[in-house]
Amino acid sequence: MSGFRIGQGSADVSYVALGDSFTEGLGDPHPDSGSLPQGRYRGWADRLAEHLADHAAEVRYADLAVRGRLIRQIVDEQVPRAVELRPDPVTVCAGGNDIIRPGGDPDQVARIFGHAVARLRGTGAHVVVLTGVDTGFQPVMRHLRGKIATYTMHLRGIADAHGCSVIDLWNLRFFQDRRAWNRDRLHPSPEGHRRLALKACEVLGVPVEGRWDEPWPLEAPLAWRAARQADLHWAREFLVPWIGRRLTGRSSGDGLGPKRPNLERLR
C-alpha cells in the first residue's frame, strides 16, 4: 500500500478531492457562505484540509467535486485535472449518483472507477477511496442497499489491487443516526461532515482532537405521526424535485464548476 503519514512540521502537502455533492460539502454550509459564490459549502474535505494544515509546513488544496456529477463526468473532467496537479494525497468519492438512478449498474460503474484509480495511482499519489454508505436504516433508500453493497465490495477490491487506503463509509455506525444527515437525507449534516473528516484523518495518520465514533447523546425517537409527517415533507421538498430533474435530464450541478479548481494555499 502506498504510504502517507504526516507529522508536526512535515513537508508541504498538496491535497485534491474528487467527487460529487458529497465531497463538495452539501449539507455543511460554509460560515462565510453568504459572501461566497454558488452558496459555498464547507464539507468533510475542507475540514480534512484544515486538519492537514495543523501539521504540515504548507497545505495547498483543491476541491474539484461538483454536485450531481456522474462517474464518467468525474473521470472526464476531474481526473485529468488531478493528474495535472500531481497532488498527494487524493480522495475519490464517486459513482453514487449513478448507483441511485434506475438502471444504474454497479459492475459497470466500478469498472470506470477502477480505471480512474489506476490513472491517479500512476502519478505516485496516495489515493483514498470512499465506499458507499449502508442505507438500510433509511426507509425510502433501503431498496438500494443491495446495489450499494455490491458497489462497495468492488471499491474495496479496487483499493486493494492498487494499494489505496479506504474510508469505509458502509461500516461507520454514526451514519446510522438521523442526526448525521441533512434534511435531504442524501448529504451529511455539519456534524456528519465533521465526524467523517476525523475518520479521514485517522486513515491518513493525521493527529486530531476528538473522536469520530463518539456516542451520540441519547434522544427520544420520533413519534409515529411525527415521523410520517417528516417523510411527507422530505418527499415534497426533495424527492419530487429530484424525480423532476431525472425526467427532464437536468442536474443540480448544471452550470456549476468546482469551488476550488486550483491548488491554493490554505491559511
Side-chain angles (χ1 to χ4, degrees):
M1 177 179 292
S2 61
F4 180 88
R5 286 294 180 268
I6 191 168
Q8 191 68 38
S10 67
D12 297 348
V13 172
S14 296
Y15 166 42
V16 169
L18 309 181
D20 49 35
S21 57
F22 196 88
T23 299
E24 185 184 344
L26 267 67
D28 187 18
H30 195 282
D32 300 323
S33 59
S35 61
L36 293 170
Q38 300 182 7
R40 169 76 178 275
Y41 290 90
R42 190 183 184 190
W44 67 268
D46 281 22
R47 292 171 180 266
L48 171 57
E50 292 161 9
H51 287 303
L52 289 168
D54 289 335
H55 301 283
E58 178 179 298
V59 169
R60 299 168 67 234
Y61 166 52
D63 189 334
L64 306 182
V66 179
R67 68 195 73 172
R69 290 299 191 262
L70 301 172
I71 186 68
R72 288 194 181 278
Q73 293 173 307
I74 292 170
V75 169
D76 292 344
E77 300 169 6
Q78 298 178 27
V79 171
R81 178 58 175 158
V83 170
E84 179 183 356
L85 294 173
R86 301 191 69 82
D88 189 24
V90 180
T91 57
V92 189
C93 182
N97 288 321
D98 301 80
I99 299 301
I100 66 175
R101 291 188 175 205
D105 183 349
D107 301 330
Q108 181 180 17
V109 177
R111 283 193 290 272
I112 300 171
F113 190 101
H115 293 316
V117 168
R119 189 172 178 187
L120 293 168
R121 283 289 292 123
T123 68
H126 183 92
V127 176
V128 182
V129 172
L130 284 78
T131 73
V133 175
D134 184 354
T135 58
F137 72 101
Q138 292 187 350
V140 179
M141 302 288 286
R142 189 176 296 148
H143 72 286
L144 296 170
R145 193 181 189 216
K147 288 174 62 176
I148 297 172
T150 299
Y151 187 55
T152 289
M153 293 305 296
H154 279 308
L155 296 185
R156 293 194 68 91
I158 291 167
D160 288 345
H162 293 284
C164 305
S165 294
V166 175
I167 300 177
D168 186 6
L169 303 183
W170 184 273
N171 285 304
L172 292 185
R173 294 300 98 187
F174 73 79
F175 271 140
Q176 305 301 305
D177 190 292
R178 65 182 181 85
R179 287 170 287 184
W181 295 96
N182 184 38
R183 293 183 303 114
D184 63 9
R185 304 183 183 180
L186 288 174
H187 304 101
S189 65
E191 177 63 11
H193 279 287
R194 186 188 74 85
R195 291 181 181 236
L196 178 52
L198 293 178
K199 177 61 178 179
C201 287
E202 178 182 277
V203 169
L204 286 171
V206 180
V208 290
E209 295 183 4
R211 292 172 46 195
W212 61 265
D213 57 351
E214 180 180 357
W216 290 95
L218 292 177
E219 180 185 60
L222 284 178
W224 185 89
R225 183 179 295 276
R228 300 295 75 74
Q229 289 176 338
D231 290 341
L232 289 173
H233 177 77
W234 171 79
R236 182 172 58 251
E237 186 172 355
F238 298 105
L239 180 60
V240 172
W242 183 84
I243 293 173
R245 289 195 298 270
R246 298 291 77 72
L247 293 175
T248 57
R250 293 178 292 120
S251 167
S252 59
D254 286 348
L256 298 181
K259 64 183 183 182
R260 294 180 68 99
N262 303 305
L263 280 172
E264 299 174 355
R265 183 173 181 176
L266 204 66
R267 298 179 183 173

PDB file of all heavy atoms in Angstrom, residues 52-75:
ATOM      1  N   LEU A  52      -5.062  18.881   8.070  1.00  0.00           N
ATOM      2  CA  LEU A  52      -3.726  18.722   7.495  1.00  0.00           C
ATOM      3  C   LEU A  52      -2.876  19.968   7.740  1.00  0.00           C
ATOM      4  O   LEU A  52      -1.675  19.882   8.028  1.00  0.00           O
ATOM      5  CB  LEU A  52      -3.826  18.454   5.992  1.00  0.00           C
ATOM      6  CG  LEU A  52      -4.369  17.088   5.562  1.00  0.00           C
ATOM      7  CD1 LEU A  52      -4.679  17.087   4.069  1.00  0.00           C
ATOM      8  CD2 LEU A  52      -3.377  15.982   5.893  1.00  0.00           C
ATOM      9  N   ALA A  53      -3.523  21.135   7.641  1.00  0.00           N
ATOM     10  CA  ALA A  53      -2.794  22.391   7.805  1.00  0.00           C
ATOM     11  C   ALA A  53      -2.285  22.587   9.227  1.00  0.00           C
ATOM     12  O   ALA A  53      -1.373  23.401   9.453  1.00  0.00           O
ATOM     13  CB  ALA A  53      -3.689  23.567   7.406  1.00  0.00           C
ATOM     14  N   ASP A  54      -2.851  21.847  10.181  1.00  0.00           N
ATOM     15  CA  ASP A  54      -2.371  21.940  11.560  1.00  0.00           C
ATOM     16  C   ASP A  54      -1.010  21.268  11.746  1.00  0.00           C
ATOM     17  O   ASP A  54      -0.360  21.477  12.773  1.00  0.00           O
ATOM     18  CB  ASP A  54      -3.376  21.285  12.514  1.00  0.00           C
ATOM     19  CG  ASP A  54      -4.658  22.088  12.658  1.00  0.00           C
ATOM     20  OD1 ASP A  54      -4.619  23.315  12.434  1.00  0.00           O
ATOM     21  OD2 ASP A  54      -5.706  21.489  12.982  1.00  0.00           O
ATOM     22  N   HIS A  55      -0.598  20.464  10.761  1.00  0.00           N
ATOM     23  CA  HIS A  55       0.607  19.650  10.954  1.00  0.00           C
ATOM     24  C   HIS A  55       1.651  19.797   9.849  1.00  0.00           C
ATOM     25  O   HIS A  55       2.789  19.382  10.045  1.00  0.00           O
ATOM     26  CB  HIS A  55       0.209  18.170  11.066  1.00  0.00           C
ATOM     27  CG  HIS A  55      -0.727  17.888  12.203  1.00  0.00           C
ATOM     28  ND1 HIS A  55      -0.314  17.809  13.511  1.00  0.00           N
ATOM     29  CD2 HIS A  55      -2.066  17.701  12.216  1.00  0.00           C
ATOM     30  CE1 HIS A  55      -1.353  17.568  14.290  1.00  0.00           C
ATOM     31  NE2 HIS A  55      -2.438  17.497  13.531  1.00  0.00           N
ATOM     32  N   ALA A  56       1.261  20.332   8.705  1.00  0.00           N
ATOM     33  CA  ALA A  56       2.207  20.471   7.600  1.00  0.00           C
ATOM     34  C   ALA A  56       2.761  21.888   7.537  1.00  0.00           C
ATOM     35  O   ALA A  56       2.135  22.843   8.021  1.00  0.00           O
ATOM     36  CB  ALA A  56       1.524  20.124   6.280  1.00  0.00           C
ATOM     37  N   ALA A  57       3.929  22.017   6.958  1.00  0.00           N
ATOM     38  CA  ALA A  57       4.515  23.346   6.787  1.00  0.00           C
ATOM     39  C   ALA A  57       3.616  24.210   5.921  1.00  0.00           C
ATOM     40  O   ALA A  57       3.417  25.398   6.179  1.00  0.00           O
ATOM     41  CB  ALA A  57       5.904  23.212   6.168  1.00  0.00           C
ATOM     42  N   GLU A  58       3.057  23.613   4.878  1.00  0.00           N
ATOM     43  CA  GLU A  58       2.131  24.322   3.999  1.00  0.00           C
ATOM     44  C   GLU A  58       1.191  23.315   3.362  1.00  0.00           C
ATOM     45  O   GLU A  58       1.616  22.221   2.961  1.00  0.00           O
ATOM     46  CB  GLU A  58       2.874  25.092   2.902  1.00  0.00           C
ATOM     47  CG  GLU A  58       1.945  25.810   1.924  1.00  0.00           C
ATOM     48  CD  GLU A  58       2.707  26.596   0.864  1.00  0.00           C
ATOM     49  OE1 GLU A  58       3.441  27.532   1.257  1.00  0.00           O
ATOM     50  OE2 GLU A  58       2.572  26.272  -0.324  1.00  0.00           O
ATOM     51  N   VAL A  59      -0.085  23.633   3.284  1.00  0.00           N
ATOM     52  CA  VAL A  59      -1.072  22.792   2.606  1.00  0.00           C
ATOM     53  C   VAL A  59      -1.666  23.580   1.453  1.00  0.00           C
ATOM     54  O   VAL A  59      -2.154  24.700   1.631  1.00  0.00           O
ATOM     55  CB  VAL A  59      -2.193  22.343   3.564  1.00  0.00           C
ATOM     56  CG1 VAL A  59      -3.339  21.701   2.782  1.00  0.00           C
ATOM     57  CG2 VAL A  59      -1.649  21.358   4.583  1.00  0.00           C
ATOM     58  N   ARG A  60      -1.600  22.986   0.277  1.00  0.00           N
ATOM     59  CA  ARG A  60      -2.273  23.522  -0.902  1.00  0.00           C
ATOM     60  C   ARG A  60      -3.401  22.559  -1.232  1.00  0.00           C
ATOM     61  O   ARG A  60      -3.195  21.347  -1.301  1.00  0.00           O
ATOM     62  CB  ARG A  60      -1.292  23.679  -2.060  1.00  0.00           C
ATOM     63  CG  ARG A  60      -0.164  24.648  -1.732  1.00  0.00           C
ATOM     64  CD  ARG A  60       0.959  24.600  -2.750  1.00  0.00           C
ATOM     65  NE  ARG A  60       0.536  25.084  -4.051  1.00  0.00           N
ATOM     66  CZ  ARG A  60       0.667  24.407  -5.194  1.00  0.00           C
ATOM     67  NH1 ARG A  60       1.213  23.184  -5.174  1.00  0.00           N
ATOM     68  NH2 ARG A  60       0.274  24.932  -6.326  1.00  0.00           N
ATOM     69  N   TYR A  61      -4.575  23.096  -1.473  1.00  0.00           N
ATOM     70  CA  TYR A  61      -5.787  22.275  -1.514  1.00  0.00           C
ATOM     71  C   TYR A  61      -6.670  22.682  -2.681  1.00  0.00           C
ATOM     72  O   TYR A  61      -6.896  23.873  -2.920  1.00  0.00           O
ATOM     73  CB  TYR A  61      -6.527  22.426  -0.185  1.00  0.00           C
ATOM     74  CG  TYR A  61      -7.946  21.924  -0.151  1.00  0.00           C
ATOM     75  CD1 TYR A  61      -8.282  20.641  -0.561  1.00  0.00           C
ATOM     76  CD2 TYR A  61      -8.970  22.744   0.343  1.00  0.00           C
ATOM     77  CE1 TYR A  61      -9.597  20.190  -0.501  1.00  0.00           C
ATOM     78  CE2 TYR A  61     -10.279  22.299   0.415  1.00  0.00           C
ATOM     79  CZ  TYR A  61     -10.586  21.026  -0.014  1.00  0.00           C
ATOM     80  OH  TYR A  61     -11.886  20.583   0.049  1.00  0.00           O
ATOM     81  N   ALA A  62      -7.170  21.666  -3.407  1.00  0.00           N
ATOM     82  CA  ALA A  62      -8.150  21.869  -4.468  1.00  0.00           C
ATOM     83  C   ALA A  62      -9.297  20.882  -4.267  1.00  0.00           C
ATOM     84  O   ALA A  62      -9.056  19.707  -3.982  1.00  0.00           O
ATOM     85  CB  ALA A  62      -7.525  21.665  -5.850  1.00  0.00           C
ATOM     86  N   ASP A  63     -10.517  21.366  -4.393  1.00  0.00           N
ATOM     87  CA  ASP A  63     -11.694  20.505  -4.348  1.00  0.00           C
ATOM     88  C   ASP A  63     -12.386  20.623  -5.702  1.00  0.00           C
ATOM     89  O   ASP A  63     -13.017  21.633  -6.005  1.00  0.00           O
ATOM     90  CB  ASP A  63     -12.631  20.922  -3.211  1.00  0.00           C
ATOM     91  CG  ASP A  63     -13.765  19.925  -2.979  1.00  0.00           C
ATOM     92  OD1 ASP A  63     -14.132  19.206  -3.934  1.00  0.00           O
ATOM     93  OD2 ASP A  63     -14.275  19.856  -1.847  1.00  0.00           O
ATOM     94  N   LEU A  64     -12.248  19.572  -6.507  1.00  0.00           N
ATOM     95  CA  LEU A  64     -12.788  19.583  -7.865  1.00  0.00           C
ATOM     96  C   LEU A  64     -14.199  19.033  -7.938  1.00  0.00           C
ATOM     97  O   LEU A  64     -14.805  18.991  -9.017  1.00  0.00           O
ATOM     98  CB  LEU A  64     -11.875  18.771  -8.791  1.00  0.00           C
ATOM     99  CG  LEU A  64     -10.395  19.158  -8.805  1.00  0.00           C
ATOM    100  CD1 LEU A  64      -9.639  18.299  -9.815  1.00  0.00           C
ATOM    101  CD2 LEU A  64     -10.207  20.639  -9.116  1.00  0.00           C
ATOM    102  N   ALA A  65     -14.751  18.600  -6.809  1.00  0.00           N
ATOM    103  CA  ALA A  65     -16.068  17.965  -6.786  1.00  0.00           C
ATOM    104  C   ALA A  65     -17.170  18.956  -7.162  1.00  0.00           C
ATOM    105  O   ALA A  65     -17.132  20.123  -6.785  1.00  0.00           O
ATOM    106  CB  ALA A  65     -16.343  17.382  -5.401  1.00  0.00           C
ATOM    107  N   VAL A  66     -18.157  18.443  -7.897  1.00  0.00           N
ATOM    108  CA  VAL A  66     -19.310  19.249  -8.300  1.00  0.00           C
ATOM    109  C   VAL A  66     -20.568  18.416  -8.100  1.00  0.00           C
ATOM    110  O   VAL A  66     -20.631  17.252  -8.530  1.00  0.00           O
ATOM    111  CB  VAL A  66     -19.209  19.694  -9.775  1.00  0.00           C
ATOM    112  CG1 VAL A  66     -20.441  20.507 -10.175  1.00  0.00           C
ATOM    113  CG2 VAL A  66     -17.942  20.504 -10.009  1.00  0.00           C
ATOM    114  N   ARG A  67     -21.551  18.998  -7.480  1.00  0.00           N
ATOM    115  CA  ARG A  67     -22.807  18.294  -7.207  1.00  0.00           C
ATOM    116  C   ARG A  67     -23.435  17.736  -8.485  1.00  0.00           C
ATOM    117  O   ARG A  67     -23.346  18.324  -9.568  1.00  0.00           O
ATOM    118  CB  ARG A  67     -23.791  19.254  -6.519  1.00  0.00           C
ATOM    119  CG  ARG A  67     -24.275  20.381  -7.404  1.00  0.00           C
ATOM    120  CD  ARG A  67     -24.929  21.493  -6.614  1.00  0.00           C
ATOM    121  NE  ARG A  67     -23.936  22.276  -5.880  1.00  0.00           N
ATOM    122  CZ  ARG A  67     -24.226  23.399  -5.226  1.00  0.00           C
ATOM    123  NH1 ARG A  67     -25.467  23.868  -5.211  1.00  0.00           N
ATOM    124  NH2 ARG A  67     -23.271  24.052  -4.586  1.00  0.00           N
ATOM    125  N   GLY A  68     -24.029  16.558  -8.366  1.00  0.00           N
ATOM    126  CA  GLY A  68     -24.742  15.953  -9.488  1.00  0.00           C
ATOM    127  C   GLY A  68     -23.878  15.218 -10.493  1.00  0.00           C
ATOM    128  O   GLY A  68     -24.412  14.571 -11.405  1.00  0.00           O
ATOM    129  N   ARG A  69     -22.566  15.258 -10.356  1.00  0.00           N
ATOM    130  CA  ARG A  69     -21.702  14.654 -11.357  1.00  0.00           C
ATOM    131  C   ARG A  69     -21.795  13.127 -11.319  1.00  0.00           C
ATOM    132  O   ARG A  69     -21.782  12.507 -10.257  1.00  0.00           O
ATOM    133  CB  ARG A  69     -20.247  15.069 -11.155  1.00  0.00           C
ATOM    134  CG  ARG A  69     -19.981  16.525 -11.489  1.00  0.00           C
ATOM    135  CD  ARG A  69     -20.289  16.827 -12.958  1.00  0.00           C
ATOM    136  NE  ARG A  69     -19.805  18.123 -13.370  1.00  0.00           N
ATOM    137  CZ  ARG A  69     -20.535  19.230 -13.441  1.00  0.00           C
ATOM    138  NH1 ARG A  69     -21.822  19.192 -13.087  1.00  0.00           N
ATOM    139  NH2 ARG A  69     -20.014  20.373 -13.846  1.00  0.00           N
ATOM    140  N   LEU A  70     -21.864  12.537 -12.517  1.00  0.00           N
ATOM    141  CA  LEU A  70     -21.842  11.092 -12.676  1.00  0.00           C
ATOM    142  C   LEU A  70     -20.402  10.626 -12.831  1.00  0.00           C
ATOM    143  O   LEU A  70     -19.487  11.426 -13.051  1.00  0.00           O
ATOM    144  CB  LEU A  70     -22.677  10.692 -13.899  1.00  0.00           C
ATOM    145  CG  LEU A  70     -24.148  11.107 -13.867  1.00  0.00           C
ATOM    146  CD1 LEU A  70     -24.808  10.835 -15.208  1.00  0.00           C
ATOM    147  CD2 LEU A  70     -24.900  10.400 -12.751  1.00  0.00           C
ATOM    148  N   ILE A  71     -20.204   9.299 -12.773  1.00  0.00           N
ATOM    149  CA  ILE A  71     -18.846   8.757 -12.762  1.00  0.00           C
ATOM    150  C   ILE A  71     -18.071   9.146 -14.019  1.00  0.00           C
ATOM    151  O   ILE A  71     -16.892   9.511 -13.951  1.00  0.00           O
ATOM    152  CB  ILE A  71     -18.873   7.223 -12.582  1.00  0.00           C
ATOM    153  CG1 ILE A  71     -17.461   6.669 -12.420  1.00  0.00           C
ATOM    154  CG2 ILE A  71     -19.629   6.545 -13.705  1.00  0.00           C
ATOM    155  CD1 ILE A  71     -16.771   7.055 -11.147  1.00  0.00           C
ATOM    156  N   ARG A  72     -18.707   9.097 -15.190  1.00  0.00           N
ATOM    157  CA  ARG A  72     -17.972   9.433 -16.423  1.00  0.00           C
ATOM    158  C   ARG A  72     -17.610  10.915 -16.453  1.00  0.00           C
ATOM    159  O   ARG A  72     -16.557  11.290 -16.985  1.00  0.00           O
ATOM    160  CB  ARG A  72     -18.798   9.054 -17.653  1.00  0.00           C
ATOM    161  CG  ARG A  72     -18.900   7.555 -17.884  1.00  0.00           C
ATOM    162  CD  ARG A  72     -19.412   7.225 -19.273  1.00  0.00           C
ATOM    163  NE  ARG A  72     -19.529   5.788 -19.486  1.00  0.00           N
ATOM    164  CZ  ARG A  72     -18.522   5.003 -19.822  1.00  0.00           C
ATOM    165  NH1 ARG A  72     -17.317   5.516 -19.993  1.00  0.00           N
ATOM    166  NH2 ARG A  72     -18.712   3.709 -20.000  1.00  0.00           N
ATOM    167  N   GLN A  73     -18.462  11.757 -15.916  1.00  0.00           N
ATOM    168  CA  GLN A  73     -18.135  13.177 -15.859  1.00  0.00           C
ATOM    169  C   GLN A  73     -16.945  13.420 -14.933  1.00  0.00           C
ATOM    170  O   GLN A  73     -16.069  14.235 -15.227  1.00  0.00           O
ATOM    171  CB  GLN A  73     -19.348  13.967 -15.381  1.00  0.00           C
ATOM    172  CG  GLN A  73     -20.509  13.968 -16.362  1.00  0.00           C
ATOM    173  CD  GLN A  73     -21.738  14.633 -15.763  1.00  0.00           C
ATOM    174  OE1 GLN A  73     -22.190  14.277 -14.674  1.00  0.00           O
ATOM    175  NE2 GLN A  73     -22.285  15.604 -16.482  1.00  0.00           N
ATOM    176  N   ILE A  74     -16.919  12.716 -13.818  1.00  0.00           N
ATOM    177  CA  ILE A  74     -15.800  12.860 -12.885  1.00  0.00           C
ATOM    178  C   ILE A  74     -14.505  12.385 -13.537  1.00  0.00           C
ATOM    179  O   ILE A  74     -13.455  13.020 -13.414  1.00  0.00           O
ATOM    180  CB  ILE A  74     -16.095  12.086 -11.590  1.00  0.00           C
ATOM    181  CG1 ILE A  74     -17.239  12.767 -10.835  1.00  0.00           C
ATOM    182  CG2 ILE A  74     -14.851  11.980 -10.710  1.00  0.00           C
ATOM    183  CD1 ILE A  74     -17.786  11.971  -9.674  1.00  0.00           C
ATOM    184  N   VAL A  75     -14.591  11.275 -14.243  1.00  0.00           N
ATOM    185  CA  VAL A  75     -13.403  10.735 -14.923  1.00  0.00           C
ATOM    186  C   VAL A  75     -12.940  11.672 -16.037  1.00  0.00           C
ATOM    187  O   VAL A  75     -11.738  11.892 -16.221  1.00  0.00           O
ATOM    188  CB  VAL A  75     -13.701   9.331 -15.476  1.00  0.00           C
ATOM    189  CG1 VAL A  75     -12.589   8.872 -16.416  1.00  0.00           C
ATOM    190  CG2 VAL A  75     -13.868   8.336 -14.334  1.00  0.00           C
TER     191      VAL A  75
END
